[in-house]
Amino acid sequence: LSPGLLVVAGSFAAFRLLNRGLERLVPPPPSARRNRWKWRNIWTGFGEPEALVHTHTPSPPRFCLHPELSEDLVGTHPPGAHSLVAVSVGYFLEDFMDMLCNQKLHQSWELLFHHSVVIICFGIAVLLHQYIGFALVALLVEINSIFLHLRQILLMANLVHTTCYRLNSIINLGTYLVFRMATLAWMSHWLFLNRDKVPPATYAVGTVGMAIMTPMNIILFYRLLRSDFFK
């Protein structure tokens, strides 16, 4: 087995154990006890950004410390970046399995579809030891995921009418635009400009991935805006 696959397997197992033990660490409030698995699932999602931070330096500082990344996102990656992407693949695999086993398909198909795209694209980077820099750019999206998960926790804890929820809604929307929408737009632009440097098969996977992810994130942004500000 390649080291990358071992890291993916270790990450999957670690997040699975975290999921199993979270109910003891963070007991669900009465309003969330009817949906205990969802409570555990969201708190496990908090663990992914934490794991990325503690495993290696997060994405933004990496581009400052390694300026060569901005010139070559295909073959260049600093030490540890490969493991960083592999850890993320392990989390998405665990979350995919958790939703598949505990949630009805008509309620989770969008996220399952999203996770499938991420697993395929990141998995290619891990297996080929290429496009790691491109995957690091994509991991900027996880900064916004922190506030998305916090929003869901506050909703399940019935804390919608609080200052904390209102403040998180504003930060969530701001980080969504900066770290999710702008990142996806930049990635699509990079793929278009570098289509001659990327093999056709890989370019097709990347293009299809962006074509799927961009509309999904626009729809989610509209839902957040409507729910938290125009309800």
Side-chain angles (χ1 to χ4, degrees):
L1 290 176
S2 70
L5 290 179
L6 291 175
V7 174
V8 170
S11 173
F12 176 88
F15 281 111
R16 198 69 195 146
L17 288 172
L18 177 65
N19 185 290
R20 293 294 179 87
L22 267 171
E23 194 163 339
R24 294 181 180 179
L25 295 173
V26 191
S31 57
R33 286 174 187 165
R34 291 184 179 180
N35 206 353
R36 291 176 179 272
W37 88 264
K38 185 67 175 177
W39 181 259
R40 295 195 308 271
N41 178 272
I42 298 169
W43 276 103
T44 305
F46 260 123
E48 190 220 1
E50 290 295 321
L52 297 183
V53 169
H54 291 296
T55 305
H56 297 288
T57 310
S59 296
R62 279 189 175 275
F63 285 90
C64 296
L65 296 172
H66 302 276
E68 67 274 9
L69 274 175
S70 59
E71 299 175 4
D72 181 15
L73 295 180
V74 178
T76 301
H77 61 268
H82 183 263
S83 298
L84 189 73
V85 178
V87 167
S88 193
V89 174
Y91 162 73
F92 281 108
L93 279 170
E94 191 281 329
D95 199 44
F96 184 95
M97 293 298 299
D98 194 34
M99 286 188 291
L100 198 63
C101 295
N102 293 289
Q103 196 172 32
K104 294 179 180 178
L105 188 60
H106 74 273
Q107 295 175 318
S108 61
W109 72 268
E110 290 183 33
L111 274 176
L112 291 174
F113 195 43
H114 167 277
H115 284 18
S116 299
V117 173
V118 174
I119 290 166
I120 290 170
C121 293
F122 279 21
I124 289 172
V126 170
L127 289 172
L128 299 182
H129 285 259
Q130 290 187 314
Y131 312 102
I132 299 296
F134 192 71
L136 285 178
V137 175
L139 285 177
L140 289 171
V141 169
E142 297 309 306
I143 295 173
N144 169 250
S145 295
I146 297 170
F147 303 102
L148 276 176
H149 289 313
L150 179 57
R151 178 183 180 274
Q152 288 181 295
I153 286 171
L154 292 172
L155 281 170
M156 291 192 71
N158 201 21
L159 296 173
V160 179
H161 303 292
T162 62
T163 303
C164 182
Y165 183 88
R166 188 65 178 171
L167 181 61
N168 182 72
S169 295
I170 296 169
I171 298 172
N172 182 35
L173 215 61
T175 54
Y176 198 102
L177 287 170
V178 174
F179 293 107
R180 193 173 289 267
M181 301 295 288
T183 297
L184 289 173
W186 188 91
M187 291 169 68
S188 300
H189 182 65
W190 185 91
L191 269 176
F192 177 76
L193 291 179
N194 294 272
R195 57 191 182 278
D196 296 332
K197 301 178 183 178
V198 180
T202 308
Y203 179 76
V205 172
T207 303
V208 171
M210 290 297 101
I212 292 170
M213 301 290 278
T214 301
M216 288 182 69
N217 279 277
I218 292 173
I219 293 169
L220 178 56
F221 179 78
Y222 168 73
R223 289 174 180 171
L224 289 170
L225 195 65
R226 183 183 63 182
S227 176
D228 290 353
F229 294 94
F230 300 132
K231 191 172 182 180

